[in-house]
Amino acid sequence: MSLIVSNLSKKYGSKTVLDRLSFEMPKSGVYALLGTNGAGKTTAIRMMLGMLAKDSGEVLWNGKPLDTATCNVGYLAEERGLYPKYPLMDQLIYFAGLRGVPKAEAKKRIRYWAERLQVEEYLYPGKSVAPAGKGRARAKAQKPKLADQLSKGNQQKIQFMIALISDPELLILDEPLSGLDPVNTDLFKAVIREEIAKDRYLIMSSHQMATVEEFCTDITILHRSKALLQGNLNEIKKRHGRVNLRLKTEQDISSYIQSVGITQLSEKEYEYQLKVTGEDQANELLALLIRDNIRVITFDLREPSLHEIFVSTVGGEAHETE
């Protein structure tokens, strides 16, 4: 199987919100759509899913136009999409039915995911003890929970269940970790890893660069509707080179840093964040420190992080536009 997105474009009047986006997933894995607010990420996803009409372009799944009626797709939207006043269980069964999951099988899957995502108490309410007069108590059945009775994080879990309930081949996650606390963030990450292990095709849109680095192999960075940078993340990092140096010593070495023309980004208690031109410049500084018997505790020369690549890519383009 493969996913091919070719020349997707969308305009509203004279405003272009997505300009000829193209990318491919020839094999299973995780592809990231990144960009500033309003760059066109969600528009691209909605066009891929047929939720929004395309002005031009096509989306092919296994060589044929992607059709959510025939392709098993799971979608976690950034916006809350639950009906606020309907019981959660009814909604889950309803959405499972839309994806072709029989009711009996849907109930089994709901039970599994409720336990996996730790929302059993909201879907399978027990009984509470309520006063029954004259010191006696009686069991009172609790009503099923409604969507608007849940926190934003727990609503996110229910929507994640909806995305997963059809056991999708293609899973699209738009800001999946938005609004989650650290415990539930780790829970979602664990589930995402499990889906990756099943050889799923995943598309992820996120502002959390560390999460993207953790999961994604290929990326597109969008800005003002256009793709500014695309490709394999490791290859992109290699092209930037090992230019970030973290150096920790036991004394002030600012004069040494200045003497070899290295840019100092920050310093705290003799721990320096530096920008070098490459390995030669970094090693020149190290040689000077060793020569003068200055103890080096940490010398970490690395490629830029995705966060740094994103800022330099988008920030530079924004500056040029201005």
Side-chain angles (χ1 to χ4, degrees):
M1 289 185 289
S2 65
L3 176 69
I4 300 174
V5 176
S6 178
N7 292 315
L8 281 189
S9 296
K10 185 67 179 178
K11 286 186 177 181
Y12 291 108
S14 61
K15 181 177 176 59
T16 300
V17 292
L18 192 66
D19 188 6
R20 293 169 294 176
L21 172 66
S22 298
F23 66 89
E24 295 185 19
M25 292 185 69
K27 60 181 180 180
S28 59
V30 187
Y31 198 103
L33 290 176
L34 310 174
T36 51
N37 293 328
K41 305 183 299 297
T42 299
T43 297
I45 288 171
R46 289 175 176 172
M47 291 169 68
M48 290 172 59
L49 293 172
M51 300 167 62
L52 189 63
K54 300 182 286 289
D55 288 347
S56 64
E58 63 179 356
V59 181
L60 302 179
W61 174 251
N62 204 22
K64 298 179 181 179
L66 176 62
D67 184 352
T68 56
T70 56
C71 174
N72 191 354
V73 181
Y75 174 44
L76 175 61
E78 181 180 8
E79 305 88 356
R80 302 293 177 264
L82 300 174
Y83 297 102
K85 298 298 182 182
Y86 285 84
L88 296 170
M89 181 63 76
D90 292 351
Q91 295 193 56
L92 285 162
I93 292 174
Y94 168 73
F95 284 114
L98 290 180
R99 303 305 308 150
V101 182
K103 187 172 182 179
E105 179 61 25
K107 287 184 175 180
K108 292 179 183 178
R109 296 183 185 183
I110 291 168
R111 173 69 73 173
Y112 170 80
W113 284 115
E115 180 179 352
R116 186 72 184 82
L117 293 172
Q118 301 174 9
V119 289
E120 290 176 289
E121 62 182 294
Y122 308 116
L123 293 170
Y124 304 100
K127 293 182 177 180
S128 61
V129 177
K134 295 183 180 180
R136 293 177 296 173
R138 60 181 175 82
K140 181 180 180 181
Q142 295 181 1
K143 293 182 179 180
K145 291 289 185 180
L146 308 180
D148 63 359
Q149 294 176 306
L150 271 60
S151 67
K152 289 182 179 180
N154 283 321
Q155 288 187 46
Q156 185 85 332
K157 289 182 178 183
I158 299 298
Q159 289 189 207
F160 200 18
M161 289 178 65
I162 292 171
L164 294 165
I165 201 165
S166 65
D167 197 21
E169 301 167 294
L170 173 61
L171 183 59
I172 300 177
L173 307 176
D174 195 354
E175 296 291 348
L177 307 181
S178 175
L180 297 178
D181 61 51
V183 172
N184 284 315
T185 294
D186 285 348
L187 180 59
F188 268 48
K189 285 183 178 181
V191 173
I192 292 171
R193 289 189 195 96
E194 291 169 8
E195 294 302 305
I196 294 171
K198 296 175 184 175
D199 290 330
R200 306 299 193 210
Y201 287 71
L202 279 82
I203 295 176
M204 182 184 296
S205 172
S206 179
H207 287 118
Q208 299 182 22
M209 298 297 145
T211 298
V212 172
E213 281 196 90
E214 188 175 345
F215 293 113
C216 299
T217 53
D218 297 274
I219 65 169
T220 288
I221 295 179
L222 291 165
H223 184 58
R224 303 187 185 215
S225 79
K226 296 179 180 293
L228 297 188
L229 183 65
Q230 288 185 303
N232 179 270
L233 181 55
N234 285 334
E235 293 300 321
I236 290 171
K237 285 187 171 187
K238 286 179 182 178
R239 291 201 299 269
H240 280 75
R242 299 173 67 196
V243 295
N244 291 346
L245 176 61
R246 183 169 67 92
L247 184 60
K248 185 176 178 63
T249 61
E250 291 185 339
Q251 65 188 76
D252 185 2
I253 59 168
S254 297
S255 61
Y256 290 89
I257 293 170
Q258 293 171 7
S259 71
V260 293
I262 291 176
T263 301
Q264 181 174 316
L265 303 177
S266 66
E267 184 271 328
K268 180 183 178 183
E269 297 179 346
Y270 307 141
E271 183 170 354
Y272 301 85
Q273 302 292 337
L274 308 173
K275 181 71 71 175
V276 299
T277 57
E279 292 186 26
D280 290 344
Q281 192 180 43
N283 289 331
E284 181 183 357
L285 174 60
L286 181 60
L288 291 176
L289 299 177
I290 294 173
R291 182 198 68 186
D292 293 347
N293 295 317
I294 294 174
R295 186 179 179 190
V296 177
I297 300 171
T298 302
F299 185 89
D300 180 21
L301 184 62
R302 62 173 178 81
E303 297 167 340
S305 66
L306 179 56
H307 175 93
E308 291 162 332
I309 292 171
F310 181 90
V311 171
S312 66
T313 300
V314 173
E317 193 279 344
H319 180 73
E320 290 170 9
T321 301
E322 292 169 4

